[in-house]
Amino acid sequence: MKKIILLTVLFTLPLHAQLKAISYQDGNQKLNGFMVSPTKALANKPGILILPAWMGIDEHSKEVGQNLANMGYHTFIADIYGEGNYPTNTKEAGQQAGFYKNNVTDYHRRIQLALNQLIQNGANPNNIVVIGYCFGGTGALEAARSGMNIKGVVSFHGGLGKAEDRNITEIKAKVLVLHGADDPFVPEKEVLGFQQEMKDSKADWQMIYYSGAVHSFTNKKAGNDNSKGAAYNEKADQRSFVHFLAFLKEVL
């Protein structure tokens, strides 16, 4: 009964925390993110950076940001693409996301700039977790790989691979990967390669699989047809959020 009540509370939180549009720069490129400040911050002012899926900032990332701020976390939703580059369809999203996956230095810089905004708007610079969804989940792992000053990263149904010619360095941030067991977009070779990377990098890592879940299992707008490879899964969504909160409690 207690577990059912907990889940009900987690997924019906009133959205009291307000989104504040924040414009910032990467050279001449204007970026447009969102800060969500808690009405009552937790001790040590923990911060959470949210990296959205491949379509860019969406209602899902905003809802997550507001829910986390209601819990007391300083939250910032990153703009990776920048004004004038927002995709309007999946083809454009694939091109944009593909660029940053193939040019990880640019991806790292955009993540760090967003991280700076989170800190400038109240988060403790030494008490931060980076989370991401799909393409953003890949970004969360890149934040760990690049050695950013963060306590941990969480990937929700994200891509796990990296270029084979990249060096493996020690990963100090704790890593949590929340993964659909039937995700067709992340082949077994990529999963095994990621797990070996985590071992070689001496990371403190966890990977949790959700049965019957494919890609985008937290996205309610993804439909419910698993045959398309991406679909919402309510049970996996709720379970992954509980695992995520347990991770936050541990690392922050």
Side-chain angles (χ1 to χ4, degrees):
M1 179 63 72
K2 289 183 179 179
K3 289 184 179 180
I4 294 174
I5 293 173
L6 173 62
L7 286 173
T8 301
V9 171
L10 289 176
F11 290 93
T12 58
L13 282 169
L15 301 182
H16 296 309
Q18 297 299 308
L19 293 159
K20 178 183 178 182
I22 300 286
S23 293
Y24 55 113
Q25 296 288 136
D26 181 6
N28 294 324
Q29 177 63 63
K30 182 180 180 182
L31 304 168
N32 300 296
F34 287 93
M35 184 70 198
V36 199
S37 299
T39 54
K40 185 177 180 181
L42 295 170
N44 256 346
K45 297 182 178 179
I48 300 176
L49 177 63
I50 299 175
L51 305 180
W54 69 342
M55 289 298 292
I57 296 175
D58 53 14
E59 291 306 313
H60 177 249
S61 57
K62 292 177 181 178
E63 181 180 337
V64 171
Q66 288 177 301
N67 280 340
L68 291 171
N70 287 337
M71 297 176 195
Y73 297 98
H74 289 79
T75 306
F76 189 78
I77 307 168
D79 178 10
I80 299 300
Y81 302 142
E83 191 168 289
N85 300 310
Y86 304 132
T88 59
N89 53 55
T90 56
K91 180 180 179 181
E92 293 176 357
Q95 292 171 342
Q96 288 283 7
F99 172 83
Y100 287 98
K101 288 179 180 179
N102 293 322
N103 296 273
V104 292
T105 301
D106 293 311
Y107 202 3
H108 295 166
R109 187 177 66 255
R110 291 285 169 91
I111 295 170
Q112 183 63 60
L113 288 170
L115 191 61
N116 295 345
Q117 291 299 315
L118 175 61
I119 294 166
Q120 290 172 21
N121 284 276
N124 183 337
N126 298 312
N127 206 29
I128 291 174
V129 163
V130 179
I131 73 171
Y133 297 84
C134 298
F135 166 59
T138 304
L141 295 177
E142 285 299 333
R145 288 170 175 141
S146 66
M148 293 181 188
N149 182 31
I150 51 180
K151 287 289 190 68
V153 300
V154 183
S155 170
F156 291 83
H157 43 78
L160 306 177
K162 66 175 185 61
E164 293 183 359
D165 60 352
R166 287 174 61 188
N167 292 331
I168 294 177
T169 57
E170 183 177 357
I171 291 179
K172 296 182 179 180
K174 294 184 179 181
V175 177
L176 173 62
V177 171
L178 305 171
H179 186 68
D182 298 332
D183 189 336
F185 299 128
V186 184
E188 184 180 7
K189 181 181 178 181
E190 185 173 319
V191 172
L192 295 176
F194 166 76
Q195 293 177 351
Q196 188 60 52
E197 177 196 357
M198 291 298 100
K199 295 173 184 178
D200 293 342
S201 63
K202 301 178 182 179
D204 180 345
W205 66 285
Q206 305 170 66
M207 186 169 182
I208 301 175
Y209 292 82
Y210 302 104
S211 64
V214 292
H215 206 64
S216 300
F217 61 75
T218 64
N219 185 356
K220 294 178 181 177
K221 294 186 177 181
N224 57 10
D225 185 355
N226 276 18
S227 68
K228 295 182 178 180
Y232 178 67
N233 185 302
E234 182 179 14
K235 186 178 292 185
D237 184 18
Q238 293 183 352
R239 286 176 173 175
S240 65
F241 198 74
V242 171
H243 290 140
F244 165 49
L245 292 183
F247 181 79
L248 290 183
K249 185 177 180 180
E250 175 188 337
V251 302
L252 297 179

